[in-house]
Amino acid sequence: MRAPAAGGRARILATRARAWVLLFATVFALVQLASVTGRATPDTKNYVSYALTLGGASVRESAAGTIDHYCGSRAATAERKRRVDVVRFRAPSPAARVAEECRRELWRKVDRRLAAGQSGVPVAPFTSERFLRIFEVRPGYPVLLAPFVAVFGVLWGVWLASVLIAAAGGVLAFLVLRAVHAPVPVALTGQALYYVLPCGATAMRPMTEGVLLALTLAALWGCALAREGRVRAGALLVGGALAALFTVKHSQALFLGVCLVGACAVVAARRAPGGARTGGGRGPVGARVRAVEPWVLAVGAVSAGAAVCTPALASLLHYPAASESLQDLLTDHFTRPDRARPWAEFLRLEVNFWAEWGRRQLIQPLFLAASAAGAWGALRQRPTFGWFVLAAACTGILNQAGHPDITIWGDRLIVAAWLLPVLGLPLLLERITATRDSLDVVTAS
């Protein structure tokens, strides 16, 4: 029997790769059935209410659907805790009581604010208008959520949207690695790491982080495509991801734009005459500019445009300024009087936060070890593209630095930093495997 032609073999391998990608995503989705409810956070209420309003629900209908979903989640969590409580596991289920108390409290707040004249559009008035304004300027996730909620109801619609968003993030990790010519097993490792590291669990929460991670990976995919010669497609993908990210969380669009500009600057400096990669003299400015590859200029221009246009457009649309976000942080979501010297207090809190964060990381250094190994793999195996992976990870550090609150739902604010081990560790594995194969050849000879 004749061996298949090269083209036929390539198609077979591509089909197998797609099958493995689909299998990984399907297994991840099926595993998530273990927790259909119980993932809602306080912020989830605002996004779900926004999505219901976009679907045509009235203020009270939006509030009712949101309250049922959120209180059902709290009741499920209380029941799970009761089952493993060494003192209360024999006691009756607290689910009904927790749900009723939750509904009563939230309806009391909604009714009081509606009576005071708060509109409840587009987010039901669970809290002050000043705080809800932060969520009103993030329509991207509610727009994505709205059709799922309309078709499948709030419970299953939110769960299904979360599964698809999280699964898409893993697929994008695979595509990014394949775009930089990582072997299929290495790229599949990246997809698997996305699901098992905090990226997957965080992306499943009904909040913006899942979409944020997916769009960051889409931007990296665009950078990889541009580097491989598909400059126009890559630049368009980077620009589209940054534009979409603006609708999801505009501060993150700013962070990603700035960090990608930084990565382009590093790559350009390394490749220009006199750079670390070329050696030699510094050369005139014109020569250095001409030496920069077109794809770097294209990605840098798009990213710089996002870095400049994001704050300008946010100001034009009257989005809450950084000072408002600062007051939100320091006043516990505007439940206390505004601080007179917020920036001084913020800087002091920033120092305290990172000192405590560092102490905790040294006690349990998984994140630090995984990030260091990921950075080594990315920068050693893909010296150029590795800087873009590092740039994407830095957006998580910047996001956390903007919210130095050690109590905010675990590590969700810094979750983008986990993209460094997600993409870098598989490349390190590629390096280790190649080294082992070389040693085997030497030994055999």
Side-chain angles (χ1 to χ4, degrees):
M1 182 180 296
R2 290 186 303 174
R9 180 174 176 78
R11 286 192 293 271
I12 292 173
L13 292 176
T15 300
R16 289 178 179 174
R18 286 192 288 267
W20 278 107
V21 170
L22 182 60
L23 177 62
F24 278 24
T26 301
V27 170
F28 173 80
L30 292 175
V31 168
Q32 303 313 310
L33 287 169
S35 185
V36 175
T37 187
R39 302 180 196 260
T41 72
D43 289 351
T44 298
K45 300 193 303 294
N46 304 314
Y47 294 118
V48 172
S49 176
Y50 200 156
L52 288 169
T53 301
L54 291 173
S58 66
V59 173
R60 297 197 69 84
E61 289 171 341
S62 167
T66 302
I67 289 172
D68 285 345
H69 176 262
Y70 178 71
C71 294
S73 180
R74 288 191 57 183
T77 300
E79 170 59 12
R80 289 168 188 161
K81 290 181 178 179
R82 193 273 307 174
R83 290 178 181 175
V84 294
D85 190 305
V86 295
V87 175
R88 298 186 297 114
F89 72 94
R90 301 183 186 88
S93 172
R97 174 181 56 81
V98 169
E100 180 58 30
E101 290 176 355
C102 173
R103 290 189 181 96
R104 187 185 311 117
E105 175 65 16
L106 289 178
W107 273 118
R108 182 182 63 80
K109 293 179 179 179
V110 169
D111 288 338
R112 185 179 72 245
R113 289 191 169 90
L114 287 176
Q118 191 169 333
S119 69
V121 177
V123 182
F126 301 111
T127 184
S128 68
E129 288 182 306
R130 191 178 177 188
F131 180 58
L132 292 182
R133 177 62 180 161
I134 295 174
F135 297 91
E136 291 173 4
V137 301
R138 301 176 183 175
Y141 178 57
V143 167
L144 185 61
L145 196 61
F148 291 94
V149 171
V151 174
F152 299 100
V154 177
L155 176 61
W156 286 101
V158 169
W159 179 86
L160 182 59
S162 299
V163 165
L164 293 177
I165 291 168
V171 174
L172 284 165
F174 173 88
L175 292 173
V176 169
L177 289 169
R178 287 295 290 153
V180 294
H181 303 294
V184 170
V186 171
L188 288 171
T189 301
Q191 182 185 5
L193 284 174
Y194 184 90
Y195 294 149
V196 301
L197 290 177
C199 295
T202 304
M204 276 300 301
R205 290 176 184 164
M207 301 180 69
T208 58
E209 277 71 29
V211 184
L212 182 152
L213 286 169
L215 290 174
T216 301
L217 284 167
L220 285 178
W221 188 21
C223 294
L225 292 177
R227 179 181 178 273
E228 295 305 315
R230 300 173 62 183
V231 178
R232 179 176 297 180
L236 286 174
L237 185 54
V238 172
L242 287 167
L245 194 54
F246 179 88
T247 70
V248 174
K249 192 175 182 182
H250 67 277
S251 61
Q252 200 68 18
L254 174 62
F255 295 155
L256 184 56
V258 169
C259 289
L260 289 180
V261 169
C264 289
V266 171
V267 171
R270 286 170 59 85
R271 290 180 175 271
R277 181 166 178 161
T278 61
R282 295 180 59 85
V285 174
R288 293 202 298 271
V289 173
R290 287 193 297 272
V292 178
E293 294 177 273
W295 74 269
V296 177
L297 292 175
V299 172
V302 171
S303 303
V308 172
C309 292
T310 293
L313 185 57
S315 176
L316 185 65
L317 297 174
H318 303 291
Y319 280 12
S323 58
E324 189 73 352
S325 178
L326 198 59
Q327 292 291 356
D328 168 51
L329 173 72
L330 297 174
T331 62
D332 191 19
H333 306 314
F334 307 113
T335 59
R336 300 179 182 181
D338 280 9
R339 311 305 298 172
R341 301 176 62 236
W343 286 105
E345 294 186 21
F346 174 78
L347 292 176
R348 180 178 177 182
L349 178 62
E350 193 80 47
V351 172
N352 294 342
F353 171 85
W354 288 110
E356 174 61 16
W357 183 88
R359 186 191 68 82
R360 296 188 184 190
Q361 294 303 315
L362 291 175
I363 294 173
Q364 295 180 314
L366 173 62
F367 173 74
L368 294 180
S371 297
W376 177 261
L379 292 173
R380 290 289 292 182
Q381 288 299 99
R382 303 294 187 276
T384 298
F385 186 70
W387 290 105
F388 291 89
V389 177
L390 195 62
C394 284
T395 64
I397 304 297
L398 290 174
N399 191 34
Q400 182 68 81
H403 306 79
D405 185 349
I406 208 76
T407 66
I408 295 183
W409 288 95
D411 295 330
R412 72 172 180 86
L413 291 175
I414 205 173
V415 68
W418 280 99
L419 294 178
L420 186 55
V422 164
L423 299 174
L425 287 179
L427 294 174
L428 182 62
L429 175 64
E430 178 189 41
R431 178 179 178 82
I432 293 172
T433 303
T435 303
R436 185 189 65 186
D437 291 344
S438 299
L439 290 174
D440 289 344
V441 170
V442 172
T443 303
S445 61

